[in-house]
Amino acid sequence: MTAPRRAPSALPAETPLVLLAVVTVLVALMYRRVFAGELAGDDNSFHWAEAVRIAEGLRHGELDWWNPSANGGFATGYYYQLLPALVPGVLGALFGHTLFWFQLAVFVPLVLVPAAGYRALRVLDVDPWPALGGGVAVAFTLSNSKWGHGADGVFAVGLFTQVAAFAAFPLALAHGVVWLRRGTNLASAIAWGAFAGMSHPVCGMALGAALGPIAVTTALAQALARGRWWPYPAPQPGGAAWRPLARVAVLGAALLVATAAAWAPTLIDYAAFGGFPHRLPDEAGPGFRKLARWLASGRFLDEGRRQVLTALVPLGLVVAAVIDRRAHALRACLVAALVFAFVIGIGKTLKSQDDLFPAIRFMGALQVVLGLGAGAGVLGLAQHAIRWADRQPGGVALQGLVGAVIGLALVGLAPSFGTQHGRVRISTDWDTVYRAELRAIMPAIARARPGRLQNRGPENHWAMMLPYIEIGRPTLVAYGGAS
């Protein structure tokens, strides 16, 4: 029996990985300005101070990382965001230059987004080319909101820990879905889920909010497949319908134990935690109507003028999920997207006195699953079309048409490179930071009598935090949650 003829248009099997490496280099160039100075974004100064505190504690053998840099001080990591600050803190203790390690801790998660998306989709049995499409789509998603994932969130608000969390989120979701479907990958699901949740709690909440409904739909698919009422393959042929529900309970319990350092201190001493009395009004979420306008206008995923990813979402995440019988990864993304959109929509009704749940933060999770689904779904459809054309007379023309469409989409995404690069901000980009003046008065502050500084500029986080970072003088008043 002769081997099947290889299609002339076929590319080497390693091509998607080579292109992934190229995309990763492009993303690294896109974010290279991270190393140009002190990172903008209000909360970044707080997180940098945390890394400094960890480094100082480790140098002196002190493991009481109570950060004195605001009010009565606060537990480093805000109880629940310790992991991203721990890395630059440990490296700063070993080698000094905490600012560089803090910059690197922002840079690396941003650069690893396409690789994380690719790997997550491969875990979900997506072919290499569609997996590459999903990774690229997430990397070039434009949030156009200070609460979104990527450059906007980290350099507008200072969501440094959110960047690390949402880089790991696709892997946590993928391994969790595999556990629900097959009963494997539990250790990986716990590890990635705990990492995401201990990097930013809202990311852990988003993971739980997605996996619960996915477990229900997986169990429903299993039950319907038994009666042959379901057009798609059962998650696990012959498996009991209740197993996904039991597995999500097991995973949820394991993640609660793994992240106990985040929630246990809050329950034990809630008064010390303090809630979030100073949330910004828009953290409650836009509501359903405004969210729909965001999505329809193209400003949720694109720049607004070039609605590339926005146009691909219905095709890749909806059409491909419906017509492709084996696209369980896309259906998981679709379920997660619907859940996240619902949470954002009802966010205003979830406000409490302490305002512990900012619904708008689910925006990053929604953008991630929309990007994964759109990119993987469209490339999956293109792959099916190209393979079908290989078997048809004159199929080269159809292959060329498919290639042209994909090429146009890439051309439409190309300007995102410049847009994301321009959204990387450092302290000298803002006239209100007065960095040179702050540097000039540091020697005088260092010579002053012992005590805390009375800060008069609550909106200038550099003025609040730099005296502690540079000369070890904490301020008397700092604004924000959990301080």
Side-chain angles (χ1 to χ4, degrees):
M1 182 176 179
T2 59
R5 181 178 65 88
R6 179 169 177 162
S9 59
L11 294 172
E14 300 80 9
T15 304
L17 284 176
V18 173
L19 293 178
L20 178 63
V22 172
V23 170
T24 302
V25 171
L26 289 175
V27 174
L29 293 174
M30 186 168 71
Y31 289 120
R32 66 186 183 277
R33 197 164 181 263
V34 165
F35 299 101
E38 297 163 357
L39 302 181
D42 289 344
D43 286 357
N44 280 334
S45 54
F46 282 91
H47 293 301
W48 181 19
E50 289 175 331
V52 169
R53 175 58 182 166
I54 293 172
E56 289 178 349
L58 290 174
R59 284 194 205 100
H60 296 91
E62 178 187 346
L63 298 181
D64 180 10
W65 295 338
W66 185 260
N67 195 326
S69 58
N71 303 343
F74 53 85
T76 286
Y78 287 165
Y79 298 105
Y80 49 75
Q81 300 182 46
L82 177 61
L83 291 182
L86 187 63
V87 174
V90 171
L91 292 173
L94 292 174
F95 306 108
H97 307 290
T98 310
L99 175 60
F100 170 76
W101 299 117
F102 182 69
Q103 293 167 330
L104 190 68
V106 173
F107 179 77
V108 169
L110 289 170
V111 172
L112 290 181
V113 165
Y118 174 88
R119 178 56 188 161
L121 290 168
R122 293 291 289 137
V123 167
L124 290 169
D125 299 324
V126 176
D127 287 345
W129 281 103
L132 175 65
V136 171
V138 175
F140 286 92
T141 296
L142 294 170
S143 68
N144 295 294
S145 168
K146 61 186 178 183
W147 303 115
H149 97 105
D152 288 342
V154 71
F155 301 108
V157 185
L159 304 181
F160 154 62
T161 59
Q162 179 175 293
V163 169
F166 280 125
F169 177 73
L171 289 161
L173 182 63
H175 286 289
V177 171
V178 172
W179 162 248
L180 298 182
R181 289 175 55 85
R182 303 178 192 162
T184 62
N185 295 38
L186 177 60
S188 297
I190 295 172
W192 284 109
F195 178 87
M198 289 294 288
S199 295
H200 199 285
V202 175
C203 188
M205 296 176 190
L207 179 64
L211 289 178
I214 290 173
V216 173
T217 57
T218 303
L220 181 62
Q222 189 75 64
L224 293 176
R226 282 170 168 263
R228 298 185 179 181
W229 299 330
W230 185 248
Y232 308 108
Q236 185 178 0
W242 55 266
R243 286 181 179 174
L245 302 178
R247 288 168 184 158
V248 78
V250 170
L251 178 57
L255 288 176
L256 280 176
V257 173
T259 58
W263 54 265
T266 304
L267 294 182
I268 294 169
D269 190 3
Y270 186 82
F273 173 68
F276 289 85
H278 296 287
R279 286 242 189 251
L280 298 177
D282 58 348
E283 285 191 81
F288 287 107
R289 291 183 180 179
K290 190 172 182 179
L291 176 61
R293 289 197 297 269
W294 284 358
L295 292 168
S297 68
R299 295 194 62 81
F300 197 83
L301 298 173
D302 295 294
E303 184 62 29
R305 298 188 303 272
R306 304 174 305 275
Q307 299 185 18
V308 181
L309 290 176
T310 303
L312 296 182
V313 166
L315 180 64
L317 191 57
V318 180
V319 174
V322 171
I323 69 174
D324 188 345
R325 295 182 70 250
R326 304 198 63 82
H328 62 269
L330 299 184
R331 286 187 282 276
C333 287
L334 181 58
V335 171
L338 293 173
V339 171
F340 298 153
F342 177 76
V343 172
I344 294 173
I346 65 170
K348 293 182 178 180
T349 66
L350 300 176
K351 285 179 66 66
S352 62
Q353 181 178 355
D354 291 336
D355 212 356
L356 296 180
F357 184 75
I360 192 63
R361 302 295 187 90
F362 270 47
M363 180 178 180
L366 178 55
Q367 289 169 318
V368 168
V369 294
L370 288 178
L372 287 174
V378 169
L379 264 292
L381 291 176
Q383 182 173 261
H384 286 309
I386 290 174
R387 287 174 175 172
W388 178 83
D390 270 336
R391 301 190 296 270
Q392 309 302 318
V396 175
L398 178 58
Q399 291 178 334
L401 178 61
V402 173
V405 172
I406 300 300
L408 287 174
L410 291 175
V411 170
L413 284 178
S416 298
F417 181 98
T419 303
Q420 295 276 37
H421 175 73
R423 289 177 177 173
V424 178
R425 299 298 183 92
I426 59 177
S427 61
T428 52
D429 292 333
W430 301 99
D431 295 336
T432 56
V433 173
Y434 307 112
R435 187 63 184 93
E437 290 86 342
L438 287 170
R439 186 177 293 109
I441 66 173
M442 287 297 177
I445 295 175
R447 292 192 299 268
R449 292 179 297 176
R452 290 176 177 267
L453 303 175
Q454 174 62 60
N455 185 275
R456 298 292 183 183
E459 295 304 318
N460 191 323
H461 286 219
W462 282 277
M464 281 193 281
M465 305 310 297
L466 284 176
Y468 169 72
I469 291 172
E470 294 194 359
I471 57 175
R473 295 297 297 271
T475 58
L476 181 62
V477 177
Y479 296 83
S483 60

